[in-house]
Every structure is written in C-alpha cells, then in structure tokens.
Amino acid sequence: MRSAVGDFSLTSGDFRLIFVLAATMDANRTYEFRCPVHGFVKLNDWERAIVDHPAFQRLRRIRQLAWTDYVYPGASHSRFEHSLGVMHTASRLYDAVWEKSQDILTGELRYNRDGLQRHRQLVRLAALLHDVGHAPFSHASEDLFPRRSDGERYQHEEYTAAIIRSELRDVIENHPANTANYGFRAEDIAALVQGATGAKQALFWRQIISGQMDADRMDYLLRDSLHAGVRYGSFDLNRIAATVVAVPDPEAETLRLGVSEGGAHAAEALVLARYFMFTQVYFHKTRVAFDHHLKGALAAMLPGGLFPSPVDADLHRFLEWDDWKVLGQLPATENEHAKRLAQRNHYREIFHTQEVPNERDRAQLEQLKNALGLLLAAEASAGKSWYKSGPSDIPVVSEALEGQAIPLSLYSNVVGHLKPNAQVLLYVRPEDVEIARAKKREVLGEEK
C-alpha cells in the first residue's frame, strides 16, 4: 500500500519507521518535579510511564514510616517520593563513580561509553522500583508475610522482583525508549534488585541499590529526618558524592564501592546518622507500641492472618492491600489492637534496658517480667546492628598508604566500636500502668 503526502510517496514500512522515530523523539523528553530533599529531580518518558503504572502509584498509599506520624506529626510521607529520591541519588553516585574510576571500570569490567550509559539506565530503573513490593505501612507489617516452602518468611524484595517480572513487564519491555535503545528485560531489573547472578556485569552497581553506603539509605535518612522534624539523619551527601570510588578487591576478585580518604568522615557520619535515627525515631518507644498494635490489627483483617504470597494470582491480591484499605477496615475490625490504633490508646512502656544490656540489666528484666506476670502486654527487642565488618565493609582509599584500601571499621575509631543495639522494652496496658509501676518499684527498689 502506498500513500501520497505532498510530493512524497510512503510505503507501510516508511510509516513504521516514522512511528518509531516519533516515539523515540517523545521518549527523549524529560520531566521535572520538586523534591523537598534533592530539589529538582528529572524523569525521562520511559521512567514516567513506569511511575504512572498502578503498581507504582500504589506507593503513594504506603507510608514510609508506618504510624510514626502519631509521634512525629510531619512523618506522613510515602514510599512514592522516597523511591523517586533513591533513583536520583543512585544516578549521582553512578556518575560520580564513573568520573573518578574510569580506568578501573574499563579495565576490570570492560566498559565502553555505550555500556556505561546502558547500565546507568538499568541502575536508575532498579533504584526507582526497589520498593514496589512493600506491604501496607512498610516494614512494620513484614512479620505477616507468609513463609516459603523452606520455612523462611518471604521478604519485601521478593515481592518487588515478582511485581517487576509480572505487573510491570509490559511497561518495561515494550516502551519505545527500551525497544529502540536498550532491549532490557524485566528480568534484568529484577536480577539487579535481588543481586542475582543474572545481573552479570551490572552486579557491581547493586552496591548503589543495596549496601552500607547505598542510595536507599542516603535518601531515607535525609527524607525521614526532614519530615520528622529532627536533625539526627543529617550527613554530607555532597561530600560522599565527591569522593565515592570503585575499589578493587584482590581477595574477592571484584570491585567494591568505597570512598577516597577525604570522604571517610562523611561515610562515618552516614553510619552515625543511621544509628541516631534508629534509636531516636525508628525505635521510639511509642512508635514501637504502634507497630505492635498494627500487626495485631492486620492479623485480624487478613485472611488466615497473613498477606498473600508473591506467587501467581496471590500477587494480585497482595497489590490490593495498601494503607487506605487497612484504614478503611480499621473501624469495623473487632480487635483490641485495632481499637487502640483508632483511639490512640496504645500500650505504655514500663521498663527498658540500656541499648547494650549488661548483666544487671538482664537480671532486672527477668525479675520484672516474672513480677508483672499477666500484666505484661508486650515485649519488644531492637536487635539492630549499625555496621557490618567483613566483605561489606566500606573501603577507604588511603593516600598515605599509596592507594591501599582500609576498611572503614578499622579506619574509624567510632564506627569500629559501635555495638549492636540489643535493647529490650516492656509494655503494659494503659489501665494497668499504676499497678505495674508499683511492682516495678518493689522489684527494682525504686523510690516512689
């Protein structure tokens, strides 16, 4: 078939070519939005199409910090804005590593400029989608994930990978920007998110998505701190971006994400910011109580007391759950925890150990638990490590030692001596506080 357009004669093949060219030109468009943390953040047309997908828009209805806004009223932000921020931060880190480590990347990973640009887009997509598998109220409800056949509980990363492979497959694989330039499969992104061997050469970049100095951690510390109205999560992101490098690891025959010596204290501050945010915000005694009530309320709402699995049709049912659905069902849920959430009548902390309990702490804890008996309504334990030495230790490239890499846990006296938080908190019902305090005074020998 031929069609005359002015003095030109076009075949059906020409029409297809024009369509592809027009789609590609449109795919090169960029969009900007304002972010309270990073300023202007840019999206290309492909990324915007993914953001517009219902599976991603669901993140608008999942709060980043669960019920933390009942303690810090401003902390009602969502996984949606965090995911966009992680994509932006991951891009900054990617570009910075390439700028400072071109020789290493081309020598060790055989990158050329086209390969670099290709994997930059892959990292952006993985960063954008890394949290699409979160359940309502984020981490607070993950104890209600079902168990796999091996007995271990599913993780939100497995839900994320399943959503990428199924719900998001079409918008990923069939967008003109992908078909014309990259040819990525949904599996490529899922493999990078999970750290699977299928990520191949790109596996190095997963350290930007998930690691001890990753874009996820950098964004949530700054964002959560901002919305909560505290300063605990502050660290120098600009300094890290100015000093981040790829570091050869001869023992593992791979590359590690590290910093030059000038960025060592900025990396140290990142670790400390995480410590302060967990102890002051994430593990706040009242927030912990609300997490307990949330799990109790959800167990009463969910069929069988658990979320659907990330397998086949169950995944579609899982995606139907978000904060709005939970809040809508809360008033009608005949359950103590649901009522306490609705009325903000949470359990009260009656005792807590030190962050690193000593023998006296542990003895007092057991004595008080025995004395409280049925008055003890809940017990919570932090069980949080702030920094992991070993293979995941952040390498610091020392100028004094002619480029030798020193693990941050050895370079920093502060980081090297941070001990895991093993604090234990005990709670009683509000109506039992006075009698519980009397028992506490009796057991611990406290004055009234």
Side-chain angles (χ1 to χ4, degrees):
M1 182 184 80
R2 301 183 71 83
S3 174
V5 180
D7 293 331
F8 297 93
S9 182
L10 301 176
T11 66
S12 58
D14 294 326
F15 277 122
R16 284 195 296 272
L17 178 60
I18 290 172
F19 174 78
V20 170
L21 288 173
T24 302
M25 289 173 64
D26 188 59
N28 289 331
R29 291 179 60 188
T30 58
Y31 305 85
E32 288 184 334
F33 68 92
R34 283 188 181 271
C35 171
V37 175
H38 304 295
F40 281 108
V41 171
K42 293 184 177 181
L43 290 168
N44 62 37
D45 192 69
W46 185 16
E47 292 157 353
R48 177 170 173 169
I50 292 172
V51 167
D52 285 342
H53 192 281
F56 192 90
Q57 286 292 312
R58 172 179 171 270
L59 297 182
R60 290 185 183 272
R61 304 187 299 278
I62 295 181
R63 277 186 280 184
Q64 175 91 350
L65 296 182
W67 289 76
T68 303
D69 61 319
Y70 271 44
V71 183
Y72 298 92
S76 58
H77 53 301
S78 69
R79 287 278 158 184
F80 180 88
E81 65 172 87
H82 164 62
S83 296
L84 294 166
V86 175
M87 181 188 68
H88 173 79
T89 305
S91 302
R92 286 192 65 183
L93 296 176
Y94 190 102
D95 294 344
V97 172
W98 173 248
E99 180 184 344
K100 299 174 191 63
S101 305
Q102 291 185 34
D103 291 344
I104 293 175
L105 292 173
T106 54
E108 297 283 336
L109 298 181
R110 306 301 179 189
Y111 270 115
N112 58 27
R113 189 160 294 277
D114 289 340
L116 174 82
Q117 192 61 34
R118 174 181 167 81
H119 278 177
R120 184 181 190 273
Q121 182 64 72
L122 182 64
V123 167
R124 280 178 64 86
L125 294 176
L128 178 66
L129 296 174
H130 80 287
D131 269 352
V132 293
H134 266 295
F137 298 99
S138 298
H139 294 291
S141 62
E142 290 183 354
D143 286 347
L144 298 177
F145 283 157
R147 295 187 183 275
R148 301 189 300 262
S149 58
D150 62 3
E152 294 297 317
R153 203 175 293 280
Y154 281 108
Q155 302 296 311
H156 80 265
E157 291 87 356
E158 293 171 274
Y159 284 85
T160 292
I163 292 167
I164 291 171
R165 292 181 176 116
S166 57
E167 303 295 316
L168 294 168
R169 179 186 294 275
D170 183 61
V171 72
I172 290 171
E173 295 184 353
N174 296 323
H175 191 278
N178 185 39
T179 56
N181 299 290
Y182 301 103
F184 287 136
R185 301 167 302 141
E187 179 60 35
D188 297 328
I189 300 168
L192 186 55
V193 169
Q194 288 189 296
T197 54
K200 299 178 182 177
Q201 182 190 34
L203 199 56
F204 162 70
W205 299 108
R206 186 175 185 267
Q207 296 172 72
I208 288 179
I209 310 297
S210 179
Q212 298 204 97
M213 195 173 63
D214 62 31
D216 178 32
R217 185 169 299 185
M218 293 180 191
D219 183 83
Y220 79 63
L221 288 173
L222 294 173
R223 192 172 303 278
D224 295 352
S225 182
L226 172 69
H227 285 290
V230 300
R231 298 294 179 89
Y232 304 119
S234 298
F235 65 94
D236 195 343
L237 173 58
N238 291 331
R239 187 59 175 164
I240 290 179
T243 56
V244 65
V245 290
V247 182
D249 184 344
E251 292 185 8
E253 297 184 351
T254 186
L255 295 179
R256 302 269 301 282
L257 194 68
V259 290
S260 59
E261 195 163 12
H265 290 306
E268 180 183 69
L270 174 66
V271 178
L272 291 176
R274 185 166 178 259
Y275 163 72
F276 290 131
M277 283 296 286
F278 268 92
T279 55
Q280 298 300 311
V281 178
Y282 306 147
F283 206 62
H284 186 285
K285 62 181 182 180
T286 306
R287 182 239 159 89
V288 170
F290 279 119
D291 282 357
H292 177 78
H293 293 312
L294 174 65
K295 284 182 277 191
L298 276 170
M301 291 181 198
L302 292 164
L306 296 172
F307 285 109
S309 77
V311 179
D312 300 329
D314 279 354
L315 183 63
H316 299 288
R317 289 191 284 272
F318 172 79
L319 286 171
E320 293 173 358
W321 285 92
D322 55 32
D323 293 10
W324 290 11
K325 182 169 181 174
V326 173
L327 293 172
Q329 293 190 15
L330 198 62
T333 303
E334 293 297 323
N335 171 275
E336 176 199 3
H337 300 290
K339 290 178 180 177
R340 291 192 181 279
L341 286 175
Q343 298 168 6
R344 202 185 183 279
N345 188 26
H346 57 84
Y347 289 169
R348 303 305 199 264
E349 183 211 64
I350 192 69
F351 175 81
H352 65 263
T353 66
Q354 298 182 63
E355 291 177 13
V356 183
N358 55 31
E359 260 185 59
R360 181 171 176 271
D361 280 328
R362 289 189 286 270
Q364 288 183 335
L365 175 68
E366 292 306 315
Q367 290 170 7
L368 184 55
K369 285 170 63 176
N370 291 332
L372 289 173
L374 296 177
L375 291 176
L376 181 62
E379 178 179 346
S381 177
K384 195 71 179 179
S385 176
W386 313 118
Y387 192 77
K388 297 177 183 178
S389 56
S392 61
D393 215 330
I394 298 171
V396 178
V397 180
S398 171
E399 297 173 4
L401 298 179
E402 299 182 350
Q404 180 180 337
I406 304 172
L408 182 62
S409 61
L410 297 179
Y411 187 95
S412 167
N413 184 55
V414 175
V415 172
H417 286 84
L418 272 179
K419 295 182 179 179
N421 186 347
Q423 188 177 51
V424 179
L425 290 71
L426 301 182
Y427 291 85
V428 299
R429 292 173 176 80
E431 55 269 27
D432 296 330
V433 167
E434 290 306 317
I435 187 171
R437 284 176 178 167
K439 288 184 176 292
K440 177 184 173 185
R441 287 193 294 270
E442 181 181 339
V443 169
L444 304 184
E446 297 175 345
E447 294 183 7
K448 187 171 181 179

